[in-house]
Amino acid sequence: GPYQFRLVANDGVVLTLQEILNEVSTAQTWSHLIDVEGVRDPVNGAVKLDQVREKIITTFDTCGLQVQEQSFVYSGLNALNIIGKQVGIEQGESIYIIDGHYDAVSGSPGADDNASAIAGVIESVRVLSKFHFNKSIHFIGFDLEEAGLEGSQYYVDNYNADLTNIGGVINFEMIGYYSDSVNSQIIPTGFDQLFPAAVSQINANQNRGDYINVVDVSFATDLKTAYMQNVTNYVPSLTAINLTHPDGMQINDLRRSDHAVF
């Protein structure tokens, strides 16, 4: 059978998170977004959808990732999850996932939903592939999210190892929209009872949509805490509001993206 050999040499250089963040480019991220934006549902936007697939594959390959194409068929549609693997230094199979879906609602250019996320994933690949990490990182472009999380569900159902090997998942969904206009943010019914602190923070800012939500479940507390602390320490201009999904409750407004299948 096939064998993989890994030769690792540690140069002893200790990187700081700030050094990595300094590599992030607003101009590059904007360029990724412009490239991905466009009608790209599998029925009315198949040509653009294929172009975006090629962009993701080319980026993963150019940045030195191991590229895996996971094809499947759903309701007569040929679909493709694209996985780029950045192998970690540590032995073992523990991985972290950074993902976003690249399809869009039928007839929509999908700039925020979800070209913004793919721009974030691609920029993450461009930056993080320059460095070496203890854990492996898998960057994934999921297909057919708009059909009902079909791409991510297929990934989980066909995962070829123990799912407990996944140490954490950071799913990007609609991260591009921003509005500092008063009352530009609508609060879903009942959220004031479920998340009083978060809603109070939004209300105190006159319901402006000028923040990102960080949604987690209880078993992802360590990952959420690290993320929120790093936002505070390194990107203080970004307001992040946390919503921890109550265990055992089905809150559909917090399960509308590929994180839900995990």
Side-chain angles (χ1 to χ4, degrees):
Y3 291 87
Q4 289 186 339
F5 295 89
R6 187 184 311 165
L7 181 64
V8 178
N10 191 335
D11 61 9
V13 176
V14 178
L15 288 168
T16 66
L17 183 55
Q18 189 61 61
E19 289 177 274
I20 298 174
L21 290 173
N22 289 343
E23 297 292 323
V24 177
S25 166
T26 300
Q28 290 269 20
T29 307
W30 180 256
S31 177
H32 306 324
L33 177 66
I34 296 301
D35 285 347
V36 176
E37 182 271 339
V39 177
R40 55 186 191 282
D41 65 273
V43 176
N44 300 307
V47 173
K48 183 64 177 181
L49 194 64
D50 281 340
Q51 291 174 354
V52 173
R53 285 171 177 156
E54 286 303 316
K55 178 179 177 65
I56 297 170
I57 292 169
T58 300
T59 299
F60 288 178
D61 184 58
T62 302
C63 291
L65 306 187
Q66 299 174 4
V67 182
Q68 177 186 352
E69 298 180 26
Q70 186 181 53
S71 60
F72 62 100
V73 178
Y74 172 76
S75 293
L77 300 172
N78 294 318
L80 189 71
N81 292 331
I82 307 164
I83 305 160
K85 301 177 180 180
Q86 182 172 349
V87 179
I89 294 173
E90 288 183 355
Q91 292 185 0
E93 297 299 324
S94 180
I95 67 167
Y96 283 80
I97 292 173
I98 298 175
D99 75 79
H101 73 88
Y102 63 86
D103 61 316
V105 173
S106 179
S108 168
D112 189 31
D113 186 8
N114 202 20
S116 63
I118 294 301
V121 171
I122 289 175
E123 183 64 3
S124 296
V125 171
R126 192 188 68 80
V127 170
L128 295 178
S129 63
K130 299 177 181 180
F131 304 97
H132 298 287
F133 302 97
N134 288 332
K135 302 296 184 182
S136 294
I137 306 172
H138 288 189
F139 302 90
I140 306 177
F142 284 124
D143 203 352
L144 293 187
E145 188 267 0
E146 300 295 355
L149 315 184
E150 295 299 331
S152 54
Q153 188 66 63
Y154 185 88
Y155 174 85
V156 168
D157 290 344
N158 293 274
Y159 192 70
N160 59 3
D162 188 340
L163 283 167
T164 59
N165 291 342
I166 300 176
V169 178
I170 298 178
N171 172 62
F172 295 157
E173 174 71 34
M174 299 172 64
I175 59 173
Y177 185 77
Y178 177 97
S179 175
D180 56 8
S181 298
V182 173
N183 294 323
S184 54
Q185 176 64 67
I186 298 173
I187 307 297
T189 302
F191 269 41
D192 56 336
Q193 300 296 316
L194 292 168
F195 311 106
V199 172
S200 294
Q201 185 177 351
I202 297 168
N203 291 161
N205 193 36
Q206 297 182 290
N207 296 306
R208 292 179 169 89
D210 58 355
Y211 62 94
I212 60 168
N213 274 133
V214 179
V215 181
D216 71 295
V217 286
S218 61
F219 54 80
T221 298
D222 290 347
L223 185 61
K224 181 275 302 286
T225 300
Y227 188 93
M228 296 293 283
Q229 287 177 343
N230 286 327
V231 169
T232 300
N233 294 338
Y234 295 98
V235 200
S237 60
L238 175 64
T239 300
I241 297 178
N242 176 226
L243 303 176
T244 297
H245 195 291
D247 291 334
M249 293 188 67
Q250 295 295 320
I251 304 175
N252 289 333
D253 281 327
L254 297 185
R255 297 176 60 84
R256 293 187 177 190
S257 189
D258 292 310
H259 63 284
V261 304
F262 291 95

